Amino acid sequence: MVTQEVDRVDQIIDRYIAEEGTLIQILLDLQREYNWLSKDILKRISERLEIPVTHIYRVASFYKAMSLTPRGYHLVSVCLGTACHVRGGPKILDKVEEVLSIKAGETTEDMNFTLLRVNCLGCCALGPVMVVDGEYYGKLPRTKVKGIIESFA
Ligand code: FES
């Protein structure tokens, strides 16, 4: 390929990379604003950006930070990645499920908490790890779970 062709190919690729970045930023801002991304929101983005709604749906369902179902006011994530799993992550998850009376992936009826099971939070040495609204609790004993959750209630 001659240099001019490479530049032109790059221009076209860059155009789409920029659009993808824009789409992700819009989705993240709307997620922050509404705490989830409804069908109406996805449809509106599709109309405004002239991107197929199926593509937006695919992007939104790929990122853990985005939710296509209503989320509770507080987000609790329990890590069950390998390191956390061997250090008692499943017992932490059981305890959170017991305290909130919901299963992983569900939201409490009062919309106060959503519980997620995640694969690795990038701080394996601290396992088992639970995160509530961005606050990390590492080397977490099962006995402390209830108190932490209740402090957010
Ligand atoms: S496995 Fe839990 S933080 Fe990595």
Side-chain angles (χ1 to χ4, degrees):
M1 244 188 317
V2 296
T3 310
Q4 277 178 322
E5 276 179 316
V6 173
D7 288 348
R8 183 64 190 140
V9 169
D10 281 351
Q11 269 179 1
I12 292 171
I13 292 169
D14 287 348
R15 190 161 73 208
Y16 286 97
I17 288 172
E19 281 181 11
E20 190 69 25
T22 303
L23 172 62
I24 292 167
Q25 198 51 59
I26 289 169
L27 288 167
L28 286 171
D29 281 5
L30 288 165
Q31 170 72 42
R32 234 186 326 270
E33 182 85 17
Y34 296 101
N35 224 10
W36 74 295
L37 300 165
S38 66
K39 278 183 188 159
D40 286 347
I41 286 175
L42 299 190
K43 201 169 152 237
R44 185 65 182 154
I45 298 169
S46 168
E47 288 164 5
R48 292 290 312 276
L49 297 186
E50 298 179 355
I51 296 174
V53 77
T54 50
H55 175 69
I56 299 170
Y57 180 86
R58 258 198 312 276
V59 172
S61 44
F62 179 78
Y63 291 96
K64 280 261 181 210
M66 300 171 195
S67 177
L68 296 166
T69 53
R71 269 189 184 166
Y73 185 70
H74 300 290
L75 185 62
V76 182
S77 302
V78 177
C79 183
L80 287 190
T82 308
C84 287
H85 197 278
V86 298
R87 291 180 175 140
K91 285 184 181 162
I92 300 297
L93 182 61
D94 284 350
K95 187 65 186 176
V96 179
E97 288 179 341
E98 180 195 312
V99 170
L100 293 176
S101 303
I102 55 172
K103 294 288 179 194
E106 294 179 350
T107 297
T108 55
E109 259 181 45
D110 62 5
M111 297 301 290
N112 211 16
F113 290 96
T114 291
L115 173 59
L116 295 181
R117 166 192 172 148
V118 295
N119 283 327
C120 182
L121 293 158
C123 50
C124 308
L126 295 178
V129 181
M130 174 175 83
V131 180
V132 185
D133 294 347
E135 202 161 322
Y136 283 65
Y137 299 89
K139 299 194 180 203
L140 183 63
R142 194 176 189 273
T143 49
K144 287 206 171 166
V145 168
K146 191 168 189 256
I148 293 168
I149 299 290
E150 283 175 353
S151 73
F152 284 87

